[in-house]
Amino acid sequence: KNQVEQSPQSLIILEGKNCTLQCNYTVSPFSNLRWYKQDTGRGPVSLTIMTFSENTKSNGRYTATLDADTKQSSLHITASQLSDSASYICVVSAGSSASKIIFGSGTRLSIRP
Amino acid sequence: DAGVIQSPRHEVTEMGQEVTLRCKPISGHDYLFWYRQTMMRGLELLIYFNNNVPIDDSGMPEDRFSAKMPNASFSTLKIQPSEPRDSAVYFCASSRASGSYTGELFFGEGSRLTVL
């Protein structure tokens, strides 16, 4: 069964600190993995996409990693800001079907001043 | 560029009433998705269209739900009759395919539905 599991469920850190969010997936065949950021009351927005051959990709203070062998991805946030408070959702696409887009349950990140 | 536009943003209705949610996708996108988000179940795919044709509606909960896409710039999700368990945030998303499907989903702001 295709599944995406994220940890932790929630996280509170102080402004300026770094954090890492985890995503484990059992999806086959793997197509790509995206991290989305969802602000409260808004729709999710894509932060980064990882394909099978990519290990690391950065988008400003966000750095995503992918280990295709262990089927794990992480999202590292550097020097957190209050605006980083949001839910972060790991999304894995299986094969070429648009219906095989598997969503994780998300990590709720809160940044405290 | 305008993003995905959904209306209404908030809807409060009584059980048994009909609810219609609307979506205008990004121009040029050939995929349109309807998702439902709840705290318990996260984001769930209800139905998606490709070039205005429904492709997979296996996520539609029951016959009370129906979706249409009469043209490339408009889609509706209808619930009739509504029930309290339908309370959720409904998202519309659009995407543009490139070869095999790997497209980024562009979400609207969502329609928060409360059924009393």
Side-chain angles (χ1 to χ4, degrees):
Chain A
K1 180 182 178 183
N2 290 326
Q3 281 187 313
V4 176
E5 296 184 351
Q6 293 187 243
S7 62
Q9 278 191 317
S10 62
L11 182 62
I12 301 174
I13 63 172
L14 292 175
E15 184 180 11
K17 298 297 186 181
N18 303 336
C19 67
T20 300
L21 314 181
Q22 300 290 345
C23 174
N24 295 338
Y25 61 91
T26 53
V27 174
S28 182
F30 176 87
S31 179
N32 62 67
L33 182 150
R34 292 183 186 272
W35 284 93
Y36 283 80
K37 178 186 180 188
Q38 184 176 19
D39 292 317
T40 300
R42 308 292 294 274
V45 176
S46 179
L47 289 174
T48 183
I49 178 173
M50 307 290 290
T51 58
F52 187 85
S53 60
E54 295 174 310
N55 299 120
T56 303
K57 185 173 285 187
S58 293
N59 178 3
R61 294 178 298 100
Y62 300 102
T63 299
T65 66
L66 176 67
D67 186 331
D69 291 331
T70 61
K71 297 186 178 181
Q72 295 180 324
S73 177
S74 66
L75 181 68
H76 185 75
I77 303 175
T78 303
S80 61
Q81 300 176 359
L82 296 179
S83 59
D84 293 330
S85 293
S87 288
Y88 291 83
I89 305 172
C90 177
V91 182
V92 183
S93 293
S96 59
S97 170
S99 62
K100 300 301 182 186
I101 301 172
I102 317 300
F103 287 80
S105 56
T107 292
R108 179 68 197 174
L109 176 64
S110 297
I111 310 297
R112 297 285 188 249
Chain B
D1 290 340
V4 175
I5 300 173
Q6 291 187 246
S7 65
R9 288 296 311 278
H10 302 275
E11 175 91 5
V12 180
T13 190
E14 292 188 347
M15 182 175 63
Q17 296 299 305
E18 178 180 294
V19 174
T20 298
L21 307 179
R22 298 172 177 81
C23 175
K24 176 180 170 57
I26 293 173
S27 177
H29 283 191
D30 49 1
Y31 283 86
L32 183 139
F33 303 79
W34 282 100
Y35 287 94
R36 178 171 65 179
Q37 186 177 43
T38 61
M39 288 292 293
M40 291 297 294
R41 302 174 69 92
L43 276 160
E44 300 175 284
L45 176 65
L46 298 177
I47 185 172
Y48 81 91
F49 297 82
N50 180 212
N51 292 322
N52 312 338
V53 177
I55 302 300
D56 184 349
D57 66 353
S58 60
M60 296 286 261
E62 46 198 274
D63 292 344
R64 298 184 297 106
F65 285 68
S66 63
K68 294 181 179 180
M69 191 166 185
N71 56 62
S73 59
F74 184 67
S75 178
T76 60
L77 178 67
K78 186 174 294 186
I79 307 172
Q80 167 63 17
S82 59
E83 296 183 3
R85 59 191 168 125
D86 301 331
S87 297
V89 181
Y90 291 82
F91 284 101
C92 175
S94 70
S95 183
R96 181 171 52 203
S98 56
S100 62
Y101 184 81
T102 58
E104 175 183 351
L105 295 171
F106 291 83
F107 287 84
E109 299 287 61
S111 294
R112 179 175 294 278
L113 173 64
T114 302
V115 184
L116 303 174

